[in-house]
Amino acid sequence: MMETFVRNTLAEDIGRGDLYAKIMPSTQQSGYLIAKSDGVLAGVEYIEVLAKMDPYEITWLKHDGEKFTKGEKLATFKGDSHTLLRIERTMLNILHHASGIAGLTRQYVDIVQKYDVMLLDTRKTRPQLRLFEKYASRVGGATNHRMGLDDALMLKDTHLKTIDDLALYIKEARKKIPFTTTIEVEAETLAIAKEAMEAGADIVMCDNMRPDEVKEVVALRDASHPKVRLEASGNISLQTVESYAQTGIDAISTGSTIHQAVWPDISMKID
């Protein structure tokens, strides 16, 4: 799927053909990628696929997950001028997009890493870009949450409105979903969290709760349902994430690492 993504991205930019290449004869050229702002590099795996698809040589000076600073060279390359100029925008778009997500994710990870808590992403991804954006999230240091509706059974507030007896529903669900599949229930109050734990949920999501409310759920879990995992979500920002990490929660999920990420500035230069 990575190859298909890269191929389609390149085809989108080339269209009916690069007009420059129709006019200018090709030559052998070399160049480099340079950072014009600070960030965390991501997208290398995808650019490696691009290099095999439209062949040119690239040597990475920085790798996925490594921080870079303004003025640093990230890679050097050489190849046919038609190829290098044809892939320029595709290469930069991939690096910009992925590195933006990885960079913001790393800021969250740096804050919570001293606590025994996992940072998770969400399904709030751009259409058709989920695998790519969640890859960038992993490079930044987060752990992926569900990839899709088939990945785990998650009952949000909208689902709960359709369920009269949560314990009975979960009992019946266990008979129909794979043995290894987890069941997660979203809870906006301590009462709902208690019901979800008693009903047999594997994971309870404390949704849009204040940190002091999350602490109450953690205390209930620790006292009565120690095997249940707890996740905090909603109202998570760089300013609030540490207050949630301090509650004793197992994981914190946020979509902002993806949908609020800002692209760093990376440029391609020909020698």
Side-chain angles (χ1 to χ4, degrees):
M1 296 192 66
M2 185 183 295
E3 182 176 338
T4 300
F5 172 80
V6 174
R7 189 181 304 280
N8 290 343
T9 303
L10 182 61
E12 177 184 51
D13 201 39
I14 293 175
R16 290 174 292 175
D18 180 5
L19 296 179
Y20 167 84
K22 296 179 184 294
I23 301 167
M24 193 74 177
S26 66
T27 58
Q28 288 297 304
Q29 297 288 342
S30 63
Y32 56 92
L33 296 173
I34 187 168
K36 300 175 74 175
S37 64
D38 298 345
V40 174
L41 186 62
V44 170
E45 288 188 21
Y46 283 77
I47 303 307
E48 287 294 319
V49 172
L50 179 63
K52 295 175 183 177
M53 190 175 298
D54 205 344
Y56 60 95
E57 292 183 34
I58 186 165
T59 301
W60 294 98
L61 307 178
K62 291 286 184 178
H63 299 88
D64 270 350
E66 293 186 345
K67 292 183 177 180
F68 58 80
T69 58
K70 181 179 179 180
E72 280 193 285
K73 285 186 178 180
L74 306 180
T76 60
F77 53 80
K78 58 184 178 180
D80 181 274
S81 60
H82 286 181
T83 296
L84 297 177
L85 296 170
R86 180 168 55 243
I87 59 90
E88 177 182 6
R89 179 45 50 195
T90 296
M91 177 166 61
L92 291 177
N93 282 353
I94 288 173
L95 292 175
H96 285 148
H97 192 155
S99 298
I101 293 170
L104 182 54
T105 300
R106 183 64 56 80
Q107 291 183 56
Y108 279 84
V109 171
D110 286 345
I111 293 172
V112 305
Q113 63 182 354
K114 61 183 177 181
Y115 303 98
D116 187 18
V117 61
M118 301 172 66
L119 183 74
L120 312 177
D121 53 28
T122 73
R123 283 166 46 241
K124 292 180 181 177
T125 56
R126 293 163 183 82
Q128 299 296 306
L129 292 179
R130 180 163 297 167
L131 292 179
F132 174 67
E133 293 184 331
K134 281 182 171 280
Y135 146 79
S137 178
R138 292 195 304 274
V139 170
T143 299
N144 292 150
H145 203 284
R146 290 192 302 169
M147 300 300 289
L149 297 178
D150 59 342
D151 208 0
L153 175 56
M154 183 170 177
L155 305 175
K156 299 177 72 67
D157 59 336
T158 46
H159 296 91
L160 295 176
K161 291 290 187 181
T162 70
I163 299 171
D164 295 324
D165 187 327
L166 181 59
L168 178 60
Y169 176 89
I170 289 178
K171 181 180 179 181
E172 291 301 313
R174 295 287 186 197
K175 300 175 183 178
K176 298 178 180 179
I177 62 176
F179 178 73
T180 56
T181 302
T182 56
I183 297 178
E184 180 168 4
V185 178
E186 180 183 277
E188 296 180 341
T189 66
L190 177 62
I192 298 175
K194 183 174 184 292
E195 180 187 4
M197 292 183 205
E198 292 175 347
D202 300 300
I203 306 170
V204 174
M205 176 194 286
C206 301
D207 186 50
N208 287 304
M209 291 187 187
R210 300 187 309 271
D212 61 300
E213 293 174 318
V214 174
K215 286 182 179 179
E216 292 182 347
V217 177
V218 171
L220 173 64
R221 185 275 308 271
D222 292 348
S224 305
H225 306 278
K227 293 184 179 180
V228 174
R229 288 177 287 170
L230 298 178
E231 172 188 344
S233 187
N235 297 317
I236 308 297
S237 67
L238 285 171
Q239 291 70 41
T240 65
V241 67
E242 186 166 17
S243 63
Y244 284 94
Q246 294 170 336
T247 62
I249 207 82
D250 298 300
I252 298 172
S253 60
T254 176
S256 62
T257 52
I258 290 177
H259 62 69
Q260 292 184 18
V262 176
W263 290 11
D265 192 355
I266 301 171
S267 289
M268 172 177 157
K269 301 294 184 182
I270 297 294
D271 293 324

